[in-house]
Amino acid sequence: MNQRASTTLPDLAVRSLGGSVVAANDELFAERENLIKPEAAGYQTYTFGHKGQVYDGWETRRRREPGFDWAIVRLGAAGVVRAVVVDTAHFKGNYPPEVSVQGCSVEGYPTPAELEQADWVPLVPRSAVRGDTQSSFAVEVPLRFTHVRLCMHPDGGVARLRVHGEVVPDPRFLSAGAVDLAALEHGGDVSGCSNMFYSSPTNLISPGLARLMGEGWETARRRDDGNDWVELRLAGAGVVRLAELDTSYFVGNAPGWASLRAVDARAADPDDPAAWAELLPRTRLLPDTRHRFRLDAGAEATHVRLDVYPDGGMARVRLYGDLTAPARAELGLRWLNLLPEGHARQVLAGEGGLDPAEADRLVASRPLAKLSEVPQRLRALLGG
């Protein structure tokens, strides 16, 4: 597991990563989509609409019968959930006394009705929460999920739902050829950073284009002779062939220059400065510009370090290249090992072409350590 505190891991549910609240049984007072907004919840006193005070969150009507209210979120990036934060900001007399969270893993793009019939796995048991408070819950379920369901017992309002975890990409979508090896949705991550005073470096590897300065990474102003940097762990070992350094919306605070270096942590110590090989020499950057650089195909790498000189902000970093064959196999095995049993059987007996008995045997034999443990006809599916 990533050694960082669980709540500093990426929010797999956030709208800016592609998350969506696909269904809720009730949203009379405040709409469900507010749950996954990236920004903190706001509040204005005496702001009333036809249905009452306007809340920046999800709020249901008062229950007059037994039961509970729920909302289903499709994660922007499927993965292993390590922590859940239920934020009841500004809900003081109308928060739920208890909440619970479940997860499920499904193929494709199911309808809300189909999701209600999915196999839901408890992630957070029914637990007490307080009003106007962020309640954090550690999750210890080592499985990959595509959706989560937040339940309020019995009703009330929640401002934000954060689902922190590790992205586990589907190897079937990492087809042969160039992919963004640093992308968060492919399993890339930030493994180190010199400064994140204004905004998170995770923004650099988030999907899509930044829409404003606050959706990038920006450091404080340096008053010494050093420079700022961010270290990226690639989705898997690979060869980086094209880099994009995007300073969009950074007009008076873009870095003057930048460089890229790479290391293969399987063969060298990343803490040794001599182990890092140059990908892009120190190069001038312009403000508010998407820069693209062709790189000489170098050695395989697992990490890339971006140095900015001396400081400043950047919107996005893209590192396009090819995964190695062993890296593809490793990603495929990890994905198969982390699928819940029902989803694994569906993949193996469906697209994998195994008969039900053979699929059951393979599921029961997990975790698989090597691709050779997988029937030959399945290896291409897993990237081997």
Side-chain angles (χ1 to χ4, degrees):
M1 175 185 168
N2 196 307
Q3 295 302 306
R4 290 179 290 163
S6 296
T7 53
T8 65
L9 292 169
D11 180 2
L12 305 181
V14 70
R15 168 69 71 179
S16 54
L17 187 55
S20 175
V21 187
V22 298
N25 71 307
D26 185 274
E27 52 182 330
L28 185 136
F29 285 117
E31 59 191 22
R32 67 198 194 212
E33 286 81 7
N34 291 329
L35 279 173
I36 57 172
K37 287 181 177 178
E39 65 273 11
Y43 182 78
Q44 289 182 298
T45 58
Y46 300 106
T47 306
F48 287 90
H50 177 68
K51 297 177 181 178
Q53 170 69 37
V54 176
Y55 276 92
D56 185 8
W58 168 52
E59 186 183 5
T60 66
R61 74 192 76 202
R62 300 188 187 209
R63 275 191 165 268
R64 302 307 186 199
E65 68 285 329
F68 60 90
D69 292 327
W70 53 265
I72 296 176
V73 177
R74 184 187 67 240
L75 300 180
V80 178
V81 179
R82 299 297 186 185
V84 169
V85 178
V86 177
D87 184 358
T88 57
H90 311 298
F91 288 95
K92 298 178 180 179
N94 49 354
Y95 63 92
E98 295 178 312
V99 299
S100 62
V101 181
Q102 298 92 39
C104 76
S105 180
V106 293
E107 281 284 282
Y109 308 97
T111 66
E114 291 168 338
L115 284 169
E116 289 187 50
Q117 303 305 313
D119 294 328
W120 291 93
V121 177
L123 301 180
V124 177
R126 187 164 170 169
S127 304
V129 294
R130 293 182 297 169
D132 200 25
T133 301
Q134 291 187 8
S135 298
S136 299
F137 303 95
V139 178
E140 299 181 0
V141 182
L143 296 172
R144 176 187 187 267
F145 296 104
T146 59
H147 296 71
V148 297
R149 180 169 61 188
L150 169 65
C151 301
M152 300 190 295
H153 304 275
D155 56 37
V158 170
R160 296 290 188 268
L161 175 69
R162 305 302 187 201
V163 183
H164 298 281
E166 301 162 16
V167 177
V168 180
D170 186 331
R172 297 171 294 179
F173 292 93
L174 294 177
S175 58
V179 297
D180 183 358
L181 299 176
L184 182 61
E185 59 190 331
H186 293 159
D189 196 11
V190 175
S191 52
C193 181
S194 63
N195 186 282
M196 56 182 94
F197 184 85
Y198 287 109
S199 46
S200 170
T202 301
N203 290 339
L204 290 172
I205 57 175
S206 294
L209 300 175
R211 298 170 299 172
L212 43 83
M213 187 191 303
E215 292 185 357
W217 166 58
E218 185 181 1
T219 71
R221 301 190 187 206
R222 292 193 75 95
R223 305 304 187 191
D224 56 25
D225 296 329
N227 71 280
D228 287 318
W229 54 269
V230 62
E231 183 182 289
L232 304 174
R233 178 182 58 76
L234 305 181
V239 177
V240 182
R241 302 180 185 277
L242 177 72
E244 181 177 304
L245 306 182
D246 182 1
T247 59
S248 292
Y249 299 104
F250 290 93
V251 178
N253 50 354
W257 305 264
S259 65
L260 293 169
R261 290 179 289 162
V263 68
D264 186 347
R266 302 167 303 173
D269 182 3
D271 292 329
D272 178 7
W276 292 78
E278 183 178 87
L279 285 179
L280 178 71
R282 179 166 168 159
T283 301
R284 188 188 69 185
L285 299 182
L286 295 178
D288 198 24
T289 301
R290 291 175 67 191
H291 309 77
R292 303 184 81 201
F293 303 100
R294 289 179 292 127
L295 309 176
D296 292 333
E300 297 173 2
T302 59
H303 295 72
V304 170
R305 171 168 159 150
L306 166 69
D307 282 272
V308 295
Y309 304 93
D311 55 31
M314 191 166 293
R316 294 289 187 269
V317 172
R318 306 298 187 207
L319 299 173
Y320 297 101
D322 309 299
L323 287 165
T324 66
R328 288 183 179 280
E330 182 180 343
L331 287 171
L333 282 175
R334 181 170 183 247
W335 171 75
L336 180 59
N337 285 332
L338 290 171
L339 288 180
E341 289 188 5
H343 192 179
R345 289 193 186 94
Q346 182 183 4
V347 170
L348 294 175
E351 193 173 352
L354 302 185
D355 64 64
E358 191 175 9
D360 285 345
R361 285 195 297 271
L362 192 58
V363 169
S365 66
R366 297 181 306 166
L368 305 172
K370 296 186 251 184
L371 201 60
S372 58
E373 300 177 47
V374 177
Q376 183 68 40
R377 59 185 179 277
L378 277 176
R379 293 177 191 175
L381 181 68
L382 298 180

